[in-house]
Amino acid sequence: MSKRGWLLFLGMGVIWGVPYAMIRVAVRDFDPVFVAFGRTLLGALVLSPFALYSKVLWPVLRQWRWVLVYTLVEITGPWLLIGHAETRLTSSTVGLLIAAVPLIAIVITTRLGHERLDLRRALGLVIGFAGVTALVGLDIDVSNLGALAAIGVSVIGYALGPIIIDRKLADLPPIGVVTASLAIAAALYLPFALWRVPDRFPAGASWSVVGLGLLCTALAFVVFFALIGEVGPSRATVITYINPAVALLIGVSLLNEPLTAGMAIGFPLVIAGSILGTARAKDRPEVVPARA
């Protein structure tokens, strides 16, 4: 990998590792639906000029039904549910649970007949889900089961998103799909966000929403497309394994979240299981999940 490729790779790993901490800060003062709306609106506003200049929105809008489905499972649902979950769970815990996305993706693609569940993949699933079990069993109490369910639904959505892209939207321009999805999500959030406009705008929460929209959404996709152009879509998706580590580091060091036994045991198992289960080289769609 070139020097530019490494810089883009490391930058992307950090950019998509910090949202969990920002969400945690934002939902302390803002309703989760307002946070999600602010993020999608800012992201759409920043990316729209690029999409309009490139004339990539019209082909996407012709496939609006599948773009809408993609938006619901990849952005609208997960970003709202993750926000709600982070009112109860630490950002570190959420970031590590989201790391189970590749495991769920293996299950879904196998059930759909797109992949074969061989011994290596099966072993990866067992190891990965053992890590999730350790994380949940040791760190999450009964009172947080609702938050856990919200993350579970988000993980399924994140796993379904790339499959929809691969099977239904692969021939569309990535920047067009992302821009249209963010605009649709913002429109869906809008009526609910209007009822949740905060009475006050503390600096920490406000800057977190701005950071989510500009850094973790708009800039993230620009950098990711550059990374794909530099190293290819298959190698670019390896950032999936870096994001949880960044989320854990930021949560523990900056937000004073505890480093628990569940994290110490579960994290390496989830990552090892995901790597083992997805190790076979295979090109993936050039649009990846709009991660939290």
Side-chain angles (χ1 to χ4, degrees):
M1 189 184 297
S2 66
K3 181 179 179 180
R4 180 172 184 268
W6 276 113
L7 289 175
L8 291 170
F9 179 82
L10 294 175
M12 197 67 255
V14 173
I15 289 172
W16 268 341
V18 301
Y20 305 102
M22 289 185 176
I23 293 171
R24 177 69 171 173
V25 172
V27 297
R28 289 173 179 171
D29 296 291
F30 298 158
D31 188 275
V33 72
F34 183 81
V35 174
F37 168 71
R39 177 182 183 180
T40 52
L41 179 63
L42 286 172
L45 289 175
V46 171
L47 292 179
S48 290
F50 297 97
L52 291 171
Y53 178 78
S54 303
K55 300 179 180 179
V56 295
L57 284 179
W58 179 243
V60 172
L61 294 178
R62 287 202 296 263
Q63 298 286 340
W64 68 269
R65 291 179 179 85
W66 280 109
V67 173
L68 176 60
V69 174
Y70 171 77
T71 301
L72 292 174
V73 303
E74 192 66 56
I75 298 178
T76 311
W79 288 6
L80 178 59
L81 291 173
I82 289 172
H84 278 291
E86 290 211 36
T87 63
R88 305 295 299 276
L89 303 176
T90 66
S91 65
S92 305
T93 300
V94 171
L96 298 188
L97 288 173
I98 294 295
V101 168
L103 303 175
I104 301 300
I106 294 171
V107 174
I108 294 174
T109 54
T110 300
R111 294 291 297 174
L112 292 176
H114 300 164
E115 301 285 350
R116 184 172 61 87
L117 186 62
D118 55 17
L119 180 60
R120 176 183 52 76
R121 285 179 176 269
L123 180 60
L125 285 175
V126 171
I127 294 173
F129 284 120
V132 173
T133 301
L135 182 61
V136 172
L138 294 175
D139 289 356
I140 300 178
D141 59 43
V142 176
S143 64
N144 290 330
L145 290 183
L148 178 61
I151 296 300
V153 174
S154 300
V155 167
I156 294 172
Y158 278 164
L160 285 172
I163 297 174
I164 294 173
I165 290 289
D166 188 33
R167 303 297 167 176
K168 300 297 182 180
L169 304 173
D171 59 335
L172 297 179
I175 188 70
V177 174
V178 173
T179 304
S181 297
L182 290 172
I184 292 171
L188 293 173
Y189 288 138
L190 177 59
F192 304 99
L194 290 176
W195 287 95
R196 296 291 188 272
V197 175
D199 297 325
R200 47 190 292 273
F201 291 82
S206 299
W207 282 114
S208 292
V209 173
V210 172
L212 285 167
L214 300 184
L215 176 66
C216 304
T217 303
L219 178 62
F221 281 110
V222 173
V223 174
F224 192 74
F225 296 151
L227 178 62
I228 288 173
E230 186 73 20
V231 305
S234 181
R235 295 176 72 186
T237 56
V238 179
I239 59 167
T240 301
Y241 309 125
I242 296 179
N243 301 345
V246 174
L248 176 62
L249 178 63
I250 292 176
V252 172
S253 61
L254 298 183
L255 299 184
N256 296 317
E257 296 175 352
L259 179 61
T260 65
M263 293 177 184
I265 297 172
F267 173 57
L269 291 177
V270 171
I271 299 303
S274 296
I275 293 174
L276 187 61
T278 60
R280 183 167 61 90
K282 180 181 179 181
D283 281 354
R284 297 183 182 183
E286 293 188 358
V287 177
V288 298
R291 296 291 179 221

